């Protein structure tokens, strides 16, 4: 009798399961799979191979617990001719910087530039991050810095005054809104919105605030080489000498060699801080000489980036 009751119970349970709508079961299964997939949606990585393209900041931040040591160097103008080895013998500018990743979206940094004896401190934060499923189609990053110049105003002192009367007069600020997208494994493009503020300016008619809109791009040719370019247009007439300065523009090549990224480029930018190259780029790509021949004011430059992973949680970029 017990065996008969057990058999009836088994048959009943099988009947109950048979009453489930197979289409509804499939829909529930797909919904569960989609839910699990949503949890696995990942962020897009390596849109740019570095925190700076040529001079412009990229949307990238240094990875968590990683330290990026960067050397930037600019030679003299190519148009200086063979006597100066096309700028290699001319005056050079160098910048050294350290950037540290607090987490995967926030980094802080310090730097020193030889021109204007400029020291800087900065932070960079990712506000939005592009996802592989395009639920977030772009990355939005904000970069801000504060600069302090140790330069002496020799001309002013000789004339009986000092341009930098107070310590605050030596301070300038830089801000950059970066909106970018990695379109595929080869092409990444970003928009750069610049805002530079000087506490004190050279002439009383000069504006303290300078604005510019820029565009940067990187195209990966091979697994270890990419072509880069950047350009910014100055939006407001901030000085009576506005026409003597030029929009910053550069083209270059990125070479990845293990933990190093070597960036070689041609650019009209001599300074390497936004407070220098946005308002005060004096070289012109379209310049001509006294004979009317093209004598472009670009110069050779390079950046070397070395990332150090400081803990087991560090992830580079």
């Amino acid at each position: 009798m017990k065996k008969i009751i057990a058999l009836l119970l088994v048959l009943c349970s099988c009947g109950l399961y048979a009453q489930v709508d197979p289409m509804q079961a499939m829909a529930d299964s797909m919904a569960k799979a989609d839910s699990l997939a949503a949890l696995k949606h990942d962020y897009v990585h390596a849109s740019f191979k570095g925190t700076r393209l040529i001079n412009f900041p990229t949307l990238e931040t240094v990875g968590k617990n990683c330290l990026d040591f960067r050397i930037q160097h600019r030679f003299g103008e190519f148009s200086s001719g063979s006597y100066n080895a096309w700028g290699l013998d001319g005056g050079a500018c160098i910048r050294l910087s350290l950037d540290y990743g607090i987490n995967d979206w926030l980094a802080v940094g310090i730097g020193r530039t030889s021109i204007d004896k400029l020291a800087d401190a900065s932070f960079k934060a990712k506000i939005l991050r592009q996802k592989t499923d395009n639920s977030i189609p772009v990355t939005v990053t904000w970069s801000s810095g504060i600069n302090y110049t140790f330069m002496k105003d020799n001309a002013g002192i000789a004339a009986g005054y000092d341009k930098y009367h107070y310590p605050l007069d030596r301070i300038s600020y830089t801000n950059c809104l970066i909106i970018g997208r990695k379109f595929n494994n080869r092409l990444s493009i970003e928009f750069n919105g610049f805002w530079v503020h000087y506490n004190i300016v050279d002439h009383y008619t000069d504006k303290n605030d300078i604005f510019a809109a820029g565009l940067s791009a990187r195209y990966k040719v091979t697994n270890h080489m990419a072509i880069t370019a950047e350009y910014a247009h100055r939006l407001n007439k901030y000085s009576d000498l506005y026409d003597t300065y030029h929009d910053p523009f550069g083209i270059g090549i990125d070479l990845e060699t293990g933990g190093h990224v070597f960036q070689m480029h041609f650019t009209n930018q001599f300074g390497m801080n936004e407070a220098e190259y946005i308002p005060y780029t004096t070289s012109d790509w379209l310049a001509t000489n006294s004979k009317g021949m093209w004598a472009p004011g670009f110069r050779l430059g390079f950046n070397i980036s070395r990332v150090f992973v400081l803990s087991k949680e560090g992830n580079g970029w």
Side-chain angles (χ1 to χ4, degrees):
M1 184 67 181
K2 291 182 179 179
K3 292 183 179 179
I4 296 173
I5 294 173
L7 179 60
L8 289 173
L9 290 173
V10 170
L11 292 173
C12 288
S13 66
C14 291
L16 288 172
Y17 280 111
Q19 296 302 313
V20 176
D21 184 354
M23 296 301 294
Q24 182 60 45
M26 182 180 294
D28 292 342
S29 177
M30 292 178 66
K32 184 177 181 180
D34 289 341
S35 178
L36 291 174
L39 296 175
K40 296 180 180 179
H41 287 170
D42 196 9
Y43 295 114
V44 171
H45 296 283
S47 300
F48 294 87
K49 198 64 177 180
T51 56
R52 288 186 179 268
L53 194 62
I54 294 175
N55 271 346
F56 292 8
T58 70
L59 53 80
E60 301 289 359
T61 57
V62 185
K64 181 180 179 180
N65 294 331
C66 291
L67 185 69
D68 179 19
F69 174 53
R70 180 173 293 265
I71 302 171
Q72 297 173 259
H73 194 284
R74 304 292 179 269
F75 293 99
E77 283 192 6
F78 189 82
S79 59
S80 61
S82 59
Y83 181 74
N84 285 322
W86 292 277
L88 298 182
D89 291 345
C93 178
I94 190 169
R95 180 176 186 268
L96 303 177
S97 64
L98 289 170
D99 294 284
Y100 175 73
I102 297 175
N103 51 45
D104 289 334
W105 58 269
L106 177 64
V108 294
I110 55 174
R112 169 76 182 212
T113 309
S114 60
I115 185 173
D116 296 331
K117 301 188 183 299
L118 201 66
D120 64 81
S122 62
F123 81 89
K124 200 178 196 183
K126 289 182 178 178
I127 302 170
L128 288 176
R129 299 173 69 181
Q130 182 183 349
K131 287 192 172 183
T132 54
D133 66 340
N134 278 323
S135 58
I136 301 178
V138 297
T139 295
V140 179
T141 302
W142 180 266
S143 176
S144 285
I146 181 171
N147 313 301
Y148 188 92
T149 177
F150 291 90
M151 198 77 172
K152 293 181 179 179
D153 184 18
N154 294 324
I157 293 172
Y161 70 92
D162 187 356
K163 172 184 174 182
Y164 306 113
H165 191 68
Y166 302 103
L168 286 177
D169 295 341
R170 295 179 172 274
I171 293 177
S172 60
Y173 305 89
T174 60
N175 299 279
C176 186
L177 175 66
I178 309 162
I179 303 174
R181 174 175 172 81
K182 185 176 183 179
F183 289 90
N184 50 51
N185 289 333
R186 294 187 180 275
L187 179 64
S188 297
I189 297 176
E190 68 176 29
F191 164 81
N192 306 83
F194 295 99
W195 170 29
V196 178
H197 175 86
Y198 273 89
N199 279 353
I200 192 170
V201 291
D202 292 334
H203 307 95
Y204 72 93
T205 56
D206 289 353
K207 302 290 192 300
N208 294 83
D209 296 289
I210 302 102
F211 301 94
L215 195 66
S216 308
R218 177 179 184 263
Y219 185 80
K220 196 170 183 178
V221 180
T222 69
N223 288 335
H224 300 286
M225 184 177 74
I227 298 172
T228 60
E230 62 184 25
Y231 170 77
H233 178 65
R234 298 163 296 149
L235 298 176
N236 64 316
K237 190 172 182 179
Y238 50 87
S239 171
D240 292 338
L241 300 176
Y242 176 88
D243 293 333
T244 66
Y245 303 115
H246 304 279
D247 292 341
F249 172 66
I251 55 176
I253 295 176
D254 283 4
L255 298 173
E256 301 173 33
T257 57
H260 294 78
V261 178
F262 179 73
Q263 302 170 313
M264 184 174 64
H265 38 258
F266 292 102
T267 175
N268 65 338
Q269 307 161 54
F270 190 53
M272 287 166 280
N273 184 292
E274 288 86 282
E276 297 167 333
Y277 65 76
I278 291 296
Y280 300 126
T281 292
T282 56
S283 301
D284 182 10
W285 274 83
L286 303 178
T288 57
N289 59 23
S290 58
K291 298 180 181 179
M293 299 178 64
W294 183 46
F298 64 78
R299 64 191 74 245
L300 176 65
F302 64 84
N303 303 332
I304 299 175
S305 171
R306 179 65 170 94
V307 175
F308 299 91
V309 180
L310 303 183
S311 75
K312 292 182 180 180
E313 296 179 355
N315 55 8
W317 300 112

